[in-house]
Amino acid sequence: MSDDAYVPHPDRLLPADPAIRDIARSLYGSMREQPIVSPHGHVDPRLLLDDEPFRDPTSLFITPDHYVTRLLHARGVDLADLGVGRGPLEETDSRAAWRLLAEHWHAYAGTPSRYWMEHEFHEVFGLDTVLSPATAEGMYDAIAEKLAQPAFRPRALFDQFRIQVLATTDDPVDDLAPHDALAADPSFTGRVAPTFRPDKYLEPARADFRTLTDALGEAAGVDAGTYDGHLAAMRARRLYFREHGAVSSDHAHTDVGTERLDAADARRLYTAAREGSIAAADAVALRRHLLADQARLAAEDGLVMTLHPAVYRNHSQATFETFGADVGADIPHAVDFVHGVAPMLNDVGLDPNFRVVLFTIDETVFSREIAPLAGFYPSVYAGAPWWFIDAPDAILRYRRAVSETIGYSRTSGFIDDTRAFCSIPARHDMSRRLDAHHLAGLVAEHRLREEDAAALATTLPTRQPSQVFKLDADA
Amino acid sequence: MSDDAYVPHPDRLLPADPAIRDIARSLYGSMREQPIVSPHGHVDPRLLLDDEPFRDPTSLFITPDHYVTRLLHARGVDLADLGVGRGPLEETDSRAAWRLLAEHWHAYAGTPSRYWMEHEFHEVFGLDTVLSPATAEGMYDAIAEKLAQPAFRPRALFDQFRIQVLATTDDPVDDLAPHDALAADPSFTGRVAPTFRPDKYLEPARADFRTLTDALGEAAGVDAGTYDGHLAAMRARRLYFREHGAVSSDHAHTDVGTERLDAADARRLYTAAREGSIAAADAVALRRHLLADQARLAAEDGLVMTLHPAVYRNHSQATFETFGADVGADIPHAVDFVHGVAPMLNDVGLDPNFRVVLFTIDETVFSREIAPLAGFYPSVYAGAPWWFIDAPDAILRYRRAVSETIGYSRTSGFIDDTRAFCSIPARHDMSRRLDAHHLAGLVAEHRLREEDAAALATTLPTRQPSQVFKLDADA
Amino acid sequence: MSDDAYVPHPDRLLPADPAIRDIARSLYGSMREQPIVSPHGHVDPRLLLDDEPFRDPTSLFITPDHYVTRLLHARGVDLADLGVGRGPLEETDSRAAWRLLAEHWHAYAGTPSRYWMEHEFHEVFGLDTVLSPATAEGMYDAIAEKLAQPAFRPRALFDQFRIQVLATTDDPVDDLAPHDALAADPSFTGRVAPTFRPDKYLEPARADFRTLTDALGEAAGVDAGTYDGHLAAMRARRLYFREHGAVSSDHAHTDVGTERLDAADARRLYTAAREGSIAAADAVALRRHLLADQARLAAEDGLVMTLHPAVYRNHSQATFETFGADVGADIPHAVDFVHGVAPMLNDVGLDPNFRVVLFTIDETVFSREIAPLAGFYPSVYAGAPWWFIDAPDAILRYRRAVSETIGYSRTSGFIDDTRAFCSIPARHDMSRRLDAHHLAGLVAEHRLREEDAAALATTLPTRQPSQVFKLDADA
């Protein structure tokens, strides 16, 4: 093997101790081939509809992946040199961006981004080479060559990845035509489900709230000029999504407050928001009320609610102005679930048709709030670690904090939440290895019978998220 | 062994690595037979006074144990079907509840509730069978049969469990007659101490504050119609408890604020609270003042103060209305000790007669606040993990966060805090195994000499809580 | 070996598993001899200038080390008996204090203070004896005898410890004469850099704010009677420090707010503060503005900013009044970096001349805030665990929470932050062992290639802090 050679170890992420690793290897063995269910993510459905070849290695691995661009930026690389905020790159620029990644590759040592990409290089592209300035051109060429082959088109990879269900994230005014076309296409047998994400229509402080709610009303065929119209429009669009295959809605606000207003106040504040005259505190109050409405609608239509709160978006204003959103400048902050969701759970938390999955980047709520909530309310599930904490040690911390209170049946199953299509199998595989790691540790310390661990291994990768997101019922 | 057979492993919870396990086994060996000191819990003293047989397996293991009922509820079981909020169950219903537990037993895999119950099945009832729908009836019968035997009556179990001291939790107006009767009973040689828990008499926002304080005054033979009367009544009732064997008081409010009011303000607000006209913010201020008073009284009478704050009680109002409190719907939240207890510790924190033990479910304060406080103030001890975090990984996190700052002498010793009588030895045994686990890890990494670990093993289970709760002095 | 004998194990703090330990031993081997760079600490420069022998074991190991005195205080020892708040102790008293430490030595088992001191006893003083009442006198004599030898004078130890750079912490009005004298002394070849710590001149709520700012102005030769004068004086003093070898400034306030005021408000409030008439909330607002000014000045002069926030200083007022500050009564609290530093980072966070290192004792921000900030902003580095959490398990938690998001290049390198001169090599050695421990674990689980771990081992101890604190450029 040359110095450049690198093959990810087959036992990677499993415990180092040989006796525990044997247990983990067996558990992982029963998990690794299970189909992928991905109930929340950011892949564009047109990727699968059009089934065009991926353009080049940079646009596949670097430009759209803010996990990758953020660390390069921190190390002094200009985001523009990575293609961020620009259209498709010329080949020269694309190769230059790839070389930048190669030059900084050593700084990714120990990060999940490097782990995932090395998995992809090996498992998807058959490249057993360490990325470095010396190997960058060769790897670029090798990947580019593969991308031109039919087997590396999105649909072929979808099948190769054994994806059973892939959820996208969609705007409530979207007509979901790509989803319909995919569903109607007899040559594509996968399931691609839209997800209803109404965040911006629930933020009365936005300067464009009137324009947005007008558009929402238009899409719904309802006058959304009033609060009642907004509610009717939301109800209609959620049903539209449900009819077009959606199983869940997604909500990412700065907090998870769900206190309801009096009807009169809601109407008054909604009108003020449309007129641009709402006070800041009132905008927060109305946003919480509108989120509480989504919970009521969820109890009606059965879409599973997912909450992804407490991120300070676009922390660097200058970066946002130059490069836009989702470039790595979002910073998590603390969140209070226990008081935030109390009004909502008192409203619909015991309703058998209501279901909510609580996600967090603030790990402090794992044992303190999320496990206790998911361990009491039949409607609440503990979401898998997300974004910054979708990483090996954090995932183990999650299991050790959440599952020792509520076991495994009240957890969401793994959610990849990714816009990097080729990373989907790498991420799910990582999660399975870590669950095997975790369960094997319990078995080795005689805290869990080997039979029970084996049964969980059968369930956790595919069946658990299918049940939580009601995918079995619709399948 | 049949598939149903299950014997808890003798090395359970010890480290998996054979070399470290050997060290841990030796440490655990010197801890396992030590008597149990339980300075805080929720067993009814009448259980031991009356010494009646336990009624049936369901009322012993399920109905009163909100750790068990909460997860069944989350999985869709009606609390009523578990006997919650009802009187004693008919045998048919009791057996049906037991079968419900058996059907969901797999979902408890990895939780401390299952761990404790399997310990009890094996160690207390001699049952080496996994609970399942197939074994449910047989196990019910076997336990029921044992419960009818004299050896399974509460006092016999008390002796078998090697309980040296058991503290109950009691209302300040209680006359403690059961405690007196037990102490006077020559046939019972155990020590059962009451604990003074005045929470509801310190919550001026309660609608029944007048009724409560009237009752308090009556019990004390003091007019508690004024603030000064309240203080006098509290002083009297605390002394009464002390004279009847109490060593500590317990306090569980939503925060640990202890800021004092001016005397005039305290008097005025107390009167307003009695009249039902106190403003919400004033009620909080007065509650903090009244808690600060408890600290002053503790410095007078020497009762050890324990704080168990920051739980949102009865998070589901509908559940509370149907089933009452303590059914699993309490959810912890964040707490601020450093500012909260500052006024109290500036008042009495250096007084040699004052002592306070800080408990938390919010793990973030372990290294940040509790260890630093207990590592400076002679009066402050770091309480053991409690309630939701009385679980193996959380207990190890506590040791790793707290004891590496303050060692072991400033920690409370294990507190079971349970209302499940038969779980007492299981819980204490778990704690001992985990301390052995933790200490063995330090020895194996040459962070602690084996002699020092052995000395700690001699001290931690029994002597440490006896010293912290002043049980030696009174013994 | 007698019962009193104790030699720290050569593999201490490395993983217990023999296979992982082998990897760790090799990594540690390449780290252990690297020079010490200490960019932040509290050693007095006069110690090295005067090069007087240390007075006695108590003044070396006990009196000035609040890590040691706080736990003795918690165990009931009077701080006065340890020499705290007194002048130099008579030998009788010094020996009595040493015996107190010996009597309580067992209570330090498992703490870093004991670990460091045992390292020092062995490595610096050649004493392979456990401290105990039986050995206390002999150890005192042995250490006292060594201290009288030339090889144990500060400069000789500085060389023996292989210290390359040692930063002190200094008052902005200090003329830095000891630093100049040291730099001019041809017989001393070490580098001792001052650090600009302006905290008290940025706290408008202080009763002595006028006196302080007058003194600041006088030192700068500027009238600091106005806000503009304050800014000019700060600019001048920072440049003075920079010219005299400073590479960083240090800032420890109760929060990290950096919101700027309008210029007119800043001027008005500054004047009010000088007149003693500023309202509490305004004093906070002005302090945040003044801290934001420091960031602007840092972008001008290139001093690396370090933030050490969120400690409740002198939590016990009575202790402060009797013994002064820095005696162990400081208690950390929660901190919010994400909102606090947002204005500052929007102001200068993308400026290539600006750099800030974020330190915390509140571990909750490791994965939630600090890693995401340091993983995006080129100016931000994640500071090493500090003070209460400069301890083995906390350091491993830091690596597992921070480095799996941002790798190693965005972390500060180890900072000892100590006033205990002899503990410097013990602390740096501990950090190296723990980095070896951590990296070896990743290698053993095939999360990191052995080559990558070896490369990091070469970089982390010396080069990483040198780069972060711009020490290479100035060397």
Side-chain angles (χ1 to χ4, degrees):
Chain A
M1 243 173 38
S2 86
D3 274 4
D4 287 338
Y6 174 61
V7 182
H9 195 283
D11 291 331
R12 61 193 182 277
L13 289 179
L14 304 186
D17 180 286
I20 312 180
R21 182 175 285 185
D22 279 348
I23 304 169
R25 200 188 278 129
S26 161
L27 295 169
Y28 171 61
S30 79
M31 292 196 273
R32 72 171 291 159
E33 304 291 330
Q34 292 184 38
I36 287 176
V37 165
S38 174
H40 178 72
H42 296 274
V43 170
D44 188 326
R46 267 169 284 260
L47 183 84
L48 292 159
L49 182 63
D50 301 343
D51 201 31
E52 295 289 335
F54 291 102
R55 182 180 169 91
D56 58 49
T58 293
S59 65
L60 183 62
F61 282 110
I62 304 176
T63 312
D65 188 345
H66 53 71
Y67 290 64
V68 174
T69 59
R70 70 187 186 213
L71 190 52
L72 285 168
H73 181 264
R75 291 175 57 80
V77 174
D78 190 327
L79 290 173
D81 291 341
L82 305 172
V84 177
R86 300 163 63 181
L89 295 182
E90 296 298 316
E91 187 172 347
T92 318
D93 288 354
S94 172
R95 285 183 181 271
W98 185 259
R99 278 195 306 275
L100 281 170
L101 179 64
E103 283 161 22
H104 292 274
W105 195 235
H106 62 93
Y108 288 83
T111 68
S113 289
R114 176 156 168 171
Y115 178 90
W116 294 324
M117 280 197 275
E118 289 185 337
H119 177 110
E120 295 165 56
F121 294 160
H122 172 71
E123 301 259 344
V124 183
F125 293 94
L127 292 175
D128 294 335
T129 312
V130 178
L131 184 60
S132 74
T135 65
E137 288 296 326
M139 289 183 75
Y140 187 97
D141 291 339
I143 294 168
E145 186 193 4
K146 298 270 190 187
L147 292 180
Q149 298 172 15
F152 289 82
R153 293 209 177 181
R155 291 190 181 190
L157 291 175
F158 190 96
D159 292 340
Q160 190 206 315
F161 294 167
R162 272 191 301 276
I163 300 177
Q164 195 174 83
V165 183
L166 180 72
T168 62
T169 298
D170 306 275
D171 191 304
V173 306
D174 196 301
D175 65 6
L176 305 178
H179 291 86
D180 291 348
L182 266 175
D185 185 340
S187 69
F188 181 71
T189 55
R191 181 172 173 194
V192 179
T195 299
F196 188 78
R197 177 150 180 186
D199 292 357
K200 59 187 174 188
Y201 305 96
L202 308 180
E203 290 282 5
R206 286 181 67 122
D208 56 356
F209 190 67
R210 184 184 199 109
T211 315
L212 285 166
T213 47
D214 280 347
L216 176 75
E218 189 172 1
V222 167
D223 178 2
T226 63
Y227 165 72
D228 298 276
H230 184 272
L231 184 61
M234 280 292 174
R235 178 179 283 116
R237 293 310 297 165
R238 292 176 59 101
L239 285 174
Y240 184 88
F241 267 61
R242 184 149 177 41
E243 283 157 9
H244 292 75
V247 296
S248 79
S249 70
D250 184 38
H251 307 274
H253 302 284
T254 195
D255 64 46
V256 290
T258 55
E259 203 156 2
R260 296 192 68 82
L261 301 167
D262 290 341
D265 285 339
R267 288 179 183 128
R268 184 174 52 80
L269 294 183
Y270 184 83
T271 300
R274 295 250 314 161
E275 289 166 355
S277 64
I278 193 166
D282 286 340
V284 171
L286 179 57
R287 188 246 295 153
R288 291 175 181 163
H289 178 88
L290 295 177
L291 184 60
D293 274 350
Q294 294 290 317
R296 284 205 177 163
L297 294 171
E300 284 178 29
D301 60 32
L303 291 183
V304 177
M305 204 170 184
T306 69
L307 300 184
H308 287 91
V311 176
Y312 188 134
R313 304 276 169 174
N314 309 310
H315 194 267
S316 165
Q317 183 65 20
T319 303
F320 175 66
E321 283 161 12
T322 309
F323 298 104
D326 299 326
V327 301
D330 301 328
I331 313 290
H333 57 78
V335 64
D336 172 356
F337 275 100
V338 65
H339 297 100
V341 300
M344 174 177 90
L345 293 181
N346 272 283
D347 197 29
V348 293
L350 302 178
D351 186 320
N353 205 37
F354 179 70
R355 184 167 293 179
V356 63
V357 187
L358 307 180
F359 292 89
T360 185
I361 308 174
D362 175 3
E363 301 184 45
T364 69
V365 298
F366 280 162
S367 67
R368 189 179 67 210
E369 301 177 29
I370 287 188
L373 287 165
F376 174 75
Y377 286 101
S379 57
V380 178
Y381 287 82
W386 161 56
W387 201 340
F388 291 94
I389 58 172
D390 178 12
D393 283 309
I395 289 173
L396 292 173
R397 289 196 294 271
Y398 164 80
R399 279 294 182 210
R400 288 171 189 151
V402 166
S403 288
E404 86 170 349
T405 294
I406 58 169
Y408 301 85
S409 70
R410 309 298 307 154
T411 61
S412 70
F414 182 68
I415 307 295
D416 59 67
D417 187 35
T418 191
R419 56 196 77 225
F421 183 65
C422 280
S423 78
I424 293 175
R427 288 167 184 248
H428 284 261
D429 181 73
M430 185 174 96
S431 164
R432 294 168 189 197
R433 290 173 182 272
L434 292 166
D435 274 345
H437 180 130
H438 166 69
L439 293 170
L442 296 184
V443 170
E445 293 182 356
H446 306 292
R447 296 165 56 180
L448 188 69
R449 294 186 313 152
E450 195 148 9
E451 304 91 298
D452 292 320
L456 287 166
T458 310
T459 304
L460 286 176
T462 304
R463 203 189 308 165
Q464 185 68 20
S466 296
Q467 287 179 346
V468 172
F469 284 88
K470 303 181 180 176
L471 289 161
D472 288 339
D474 297 340
Chain B
M1 245 175 33
S2 87
D3 274 5
D4 288 337
Y6 174 61
V7 181
H9 195 282
D11 290 330
R12 62 193 181 275
L13 290 179
L14 305 186
D17 180 286
I20 312 180
R21 182 175 285 185
D22 280 348
I23 304 169
R25 200 188 279 128
S26 161
L27 295 169
Y28 171 60
S30 78
M31 293 195 273
R32 73 171 290 159
E33 304 291 331
Q34 292 184 38
I36 287 175
V37 165
S38 174
H40 178 72
H42 296 274
V43 170
D44 189 326
R46 267 168 284 258
L47 183 83
L48 291 159
L49 182 64
D50 301 343
D51 201 31
E52 295 290 333
F54 291 102
R55 183 179 168 91
D56 58 49
T58 293
S59 65
L60 183 62
F61 282 109
I62 303 176
T63 312
D65 188 345
H66 54 71
Y67 290 64
V68 174
T69 58
R70 71 186 186 213
L71 190 51
L72 286 168
H73 180 263
R75 292 176 56 80
V77 174
D78 191 327
L79 290 173
D81 291 341
L82 305 172
V84 178
R86 300 163 63 180
L89 294 183
E90 295 298 317
E91 186 172 348
T92 317
D93 288 355
S94 171
R95 285 183 180 271
W98 185 259
R99 280 196 304 274
L100 280 170
L101 179 63
E103 282 162 23
H104 293 273
W105 195 234
H106 62 94
Y108 287 83
T111 67
S113 289
R114 176 156 168 172
Y115 178 89
W116 294 324
M117 280 198 275
E118 290 185 336
H119 177 110
E120 296 165 55
F121 293 160
H122 172 71
E123 301 259 345
V124 181
F125 293 94
L127 292 176
D128 294 336
T129 313
V130 179
L131 184 60
S132 73
T135 64
E137 288 296 326
M139 288 183 75
Y140 187 96
D141 292 338
I143 294 167
E145 185 192 4
K146 298 270 190 188
L147 292 179
Q149 299 172 15
F152 289 82
R153 293 207 177 183
R155 291 189 182 190
L157 291 176
F158 190 97
D159 291 341
Q160 190 206 316
F161 294 167
R162 271 191 301 275
I163 300 176
Q164 194 174 84
V165 184
L166 179 72
T168 62
T169 297
D170 307 274
D171 192 304
V173 305
D174 197 301
D175 65 5
L176 307 178
H179 291 85
D180 291 349
L182 266 174
D185 184 340
S187 69
F188 181 70
T189 55
R191 181 172 172 192
V192 179
T195 299
F196 188 77
R197 178 151 179 184
D199 291 358
K200 58 187 175 188
Y201 305 96
L202 308 179
E203 290 282 5
R206 286 181 67 122
D208 54 356
F209 189 67
R210 183 184 200 109
T211 315
L212 284 165
T213 47
D214 280 346
L216 176 75
E218 189 173 2
V222 167
D223 177 2
T226 65
Y227 165 71
D228 297 276
H230 184 272
L231 183 62
M234 280 292 174
R235 178 179 283 118
R237 293 311 296 165
R238 291 175 61 101
L239 285 174
Y240 183 89
F241 268 60
R242 184 149 178 38
E243 283 156 9
H244 291 76
V247 295
S248 79
S249 70
D250 185 38
H251 306 274
H253 302 285
T254 195
D255 63 47
V256 290
T258 55
E259 203 156 2
R260 296 192 68 81
L261 301 168
D262 290 341
D265 286 339
R267 288 180 183 126
R268 184 175 51 79
L269 294 183
Y270 184 83
T271 300
R274 294 249 316 161
E275 288 167 355
S277 64
I278 193 166
D282 285 340
V284 170
L286 179 57
R287 189 246 296 151
R288 290 175 181 165
H289 178 88
L290 296 177
L291 184 59
D293 274 349
Q294 294 290 317
R296 283 205 178 163
L297 294 172
E300 284 177 28
D301 61 32
L303 291 183
V304 177
M305 204 170 183
T306 69
L307 300 184
H308 286 92
V311 176
Y312 189 134
R313 304 276 169 174
N314 308 309
H315 194 268
S316 165
Q317 183 65 21
T319 304
F320 175 65
E321 283 162 13
T322 310
F323 298 105
D326 299 326
V327 300
D330 301 328
I331 312 291
H333 57 79
V335 65
D336 172 356
F337 276 100
V338 65
H339 297 100
V341 299
M344 174 177 90
L345 293 181
N346 271 283
D347 196 28
V348 293
L350 301 178
D351 185 320
N353 205 37
F354 178 70
R355 184 168 291 179
V356 63
V357 187
L358 307 180
F359 292 90
T360 185
I361 309 174
D362 175 3
E363 301 185 44
T364 70
V365 297
F366 280 162
S367 67
R368 191 179 66 210
E369 301 177 30
I370 287 188
L373 287 165
F376 173 74
Y377 286 101
S379 56
V380 178
Y381 286 82
W386 160 57
W387 201 340
F388 291 95
I389 58 172
D390 180 12
D393 283 310
I395 289 173
L396 292 173
R397 289 195 295 271
Y398 164 79
R399 279 292 182 211
R400 287 171 188 151
V402 166
S403 288
E404 85 170 350
T405 293
I406 56 169
Y408 301 85
S409 70
R410 308 298 307 155
T411 61
S412 70
F414 182 67
I415 306 295
D416 60 66
D417 188 35
T418 191
R419 56 196 78 227
F421 183 65
C422 280
S423 77
I424 292 174
R427 288 167 184 247
H428 284 260
D429 181 74
M430 185 174 94
S431 164
R432 294 168 189 197
R433 290 173 181 272
L434 292 165
D435 274 346
H437 180 129
H438 166 70
L439 293 171
L442 296 184
V443 169
E445 293 182 357
H446 306 292
R447 296 164 57 180
L448 188 68
R449 295 187 311 153
E450 195 148 9
E451 303 91 300
D452 292 320
L456 287 166
T458 309
T459 304
L460 286 176
T462 304
R463 202 189 308 166
Q464 185 68 20
S466 296
Q467 287 179 346
V468 172
F469 284 87
K470 304 182 180 176
L471 288 161
D472 289 337
D474 297 340
Chain C
M1 243 174 35
S2 86
D3 273 5
D4 287 337
Y6 175 61
V7 182
H9 196 282
D11 290 331
R12 62 194 181 276
L13 289 179
L14 304 186
D17 180 286
I20 313 179
R21 182 175 285 186
D22 280 347
I23 305 169
R25 200 189 279 129
S26 161
L27 294 169
Y28 171 61
S30 79
M31 292 196 273
R32 74 171 289 159
E33 304 292 330
Q34 293 184 38
I36 287 176
V37 165
S38 175
H40 178 72
H42 296 273
V43 170
D44 188 327
R46 268 169 284 259
L47 183 83
L48 291 159
L49 182 63
D50 301 343
D51 201 31
E52 297 288 335
F54 290 102
R55 183 180 168 90
D56 58 49
T58 293
S59 65
L60 183 62
F61 282 109
I62 303 176
T63 312
D65 187 345
H66 54 70
Y67 291 64
V68 174
T69 58
R70 70 186 186 215
L71 190 52
L72 285 169
H73 180 263
R75 291 176 57 80
V77 174
D78 191 327
L79 290 173
D81 292 341
L82 305 172
V84 177
R86 300 164 62 180
L89 294 183
E90 297 296 318
E91 187 173 346
T92 318
D93 288 354
S94 171
R95 286 184 180 271
W98 186 259
R99 279 196 305 274
L100 281 170
L101 179 64
E103 282 162 22
H104 292 274
W105 195 235
H106 62 94
Y108 287 84
T111 68
S113 289
R114 176 157 168 171
Y115 177 90
W116 294 323
M117 281 198 275
E118 290 185 336
H119 177 109
E120 296 165 56
F121 294 159
H122 172 72
E123 303 258 344
V124 182
F125 293 94
L127 292 176
D128 294 336
T129 313
V130 178
L131 184 60
S132 73
T135 65
E137 288 295 326
M139 289 184 75
Y140 188 98
D141 292 339
I143 294 169
E145 185 192 5
K146 299 269 189 186
L147 293 179
Q149 300 173 14
F152 289 83
R153 294 207 177 183
R155 292 189 181 189
L157 291 175
F158 190 96
D159 291 340
Q160 191 207 316
F161 294 167
R162 270 190 303 275
I163 300 177
Q164 195 173 84
V165 184
L166 179 72
T168 62
T169 297
D170 307 274
D171 192 302
V173 306
D174 196 302
D175 65 6
L176 305 178
H179 291 86
D180 291 349
L182 266 175
D185 184 342
S187 70
F188 181 71
T189 56
R191 181 172 173 193
V192 179
T195 299
F196 188 78
R197 178 148 179 187
D199 291 358
K200 59 186 174 188
Y201 305 95
L202 308 179
E203 290 282 5
R206 287 180 66 122
D208 55 356
F209 190 66
R210 183 184 201 110
T211 316
L212 284 165
T213 47
D214 280 347
L216 176 75
E218 189 174 2
V222 167
D223 177 3
T226 65
Y227 165 71
D228 297 276
H230 183 272
L231 183 61
M234 280 291 175
R235 179 180 282 117
R237 294 310 297 164
R238 291 176 60 101
L239 285 174
Y240 184 89
F241 267 61
R242 184 150 178 39
E243 284 156 9
H244 290 75
V247 295
S248 79
S249 69
D250 184 39
H251 307 273
H253 302 284
T254 195
D255 63 46
V256 291
T258 55
E259 203 155 2
R260 296 192 67 81
L261 300 168
D262 291 340
D265 286 338
R267 287 178 184 126
R268 184 175 51 79
L269 294 182
Y270 183 83
T271 300
R274 296 249 316 161
E275 290 167 355
S277 64
I278 193 166
D282 286 340
V284 170
L286 180 57
R287 188 247 295 153
R288 291 175 180 164
H289 178 88
L290 295 177
L291 184 60
D293 274 350
Q294 294 291 317
R296 283 205 178 163
L297 293 172
E300 284 178 28
D301 60 31
L303 291 183
V304 177
M305 205 171 183
T306 69
L307 301 184
H308 287 90
V311 176
Y312 189 133
R313 304 276 169 174
N314 309 310
H315 194 268
S316 165
Q317 182 65 21
T319 303
F320 175 66
E321 283 161 14
T322 310
F323 298 104
D326 300 325
V327 301
D330 301 327
I331 312 291
H333 57 78
V335 65
D336 172 355
F337 276 100
V338 66
H339 297 99
V341 299
M344 174 176 89
L345 294 181
N346 272 282
D347 196 29
V348 292
L350 302 178
D351 185 320
N353 205 38
F354 178 70
R355 184 167 292 177
V356 63
V357 187
L358 308 180
F359 292 89
T360 185
I361 308 174
D362 174 3
E363 301 185 45
T364 69
V365 297
F366 280 162
S367 67
R368 190 179 66 210
E369 301 177 30
I370 286 188
L373 287 165
F376 174 74
Y377 286 101
S379 56
V380 178
Y381 287 81
W386 161 56
W387 200 340
F388 291 95
I389 58 172
D390 179 12
D393 283 310
I395 289 173
L396 292 173
R397 289 196 294 272
Y398 164 80
R399 279 295 182 208
R400 287 171 189 151
V402 166
S403 288
E404 86 170 350
T405 293
I406 56 169
Y408 300 86
S409 71
R410 309 298 306 154
T411 60
S412 69
F414 182 66
I415 307 295
D416 59 68
D417 188 34
T418 191
R419 56 195 77 225
F421 183 65
C422 280
S423 78
I424 292 175
R427 288 167 185 247
H428 284 262
D429 181 74
M430 185 174 95
S431 164
R432 295 168 188 197
R433 290 173 181 273
L434 292 166
D435 274 345
H437 180 130
H438 167 70
L439 293 170
L442 296 183
V443 169
E445 292 182 357
H446 305 293
R447 296 164 58 179
L448 188 69
R449 293 186 312 152
E450 195 149 8
E451 305 90 298
D452 292 320
L456 287 167
T458 308
T459 304
L460 285 177
T462 304
R463 203 189 308 165
Q464 186 67 21
S466 296
Q467 287 179 346
V468 172
F469 284 88
K470 303 182 181 176
L471 288 161
D472 289 337
D474 296 339

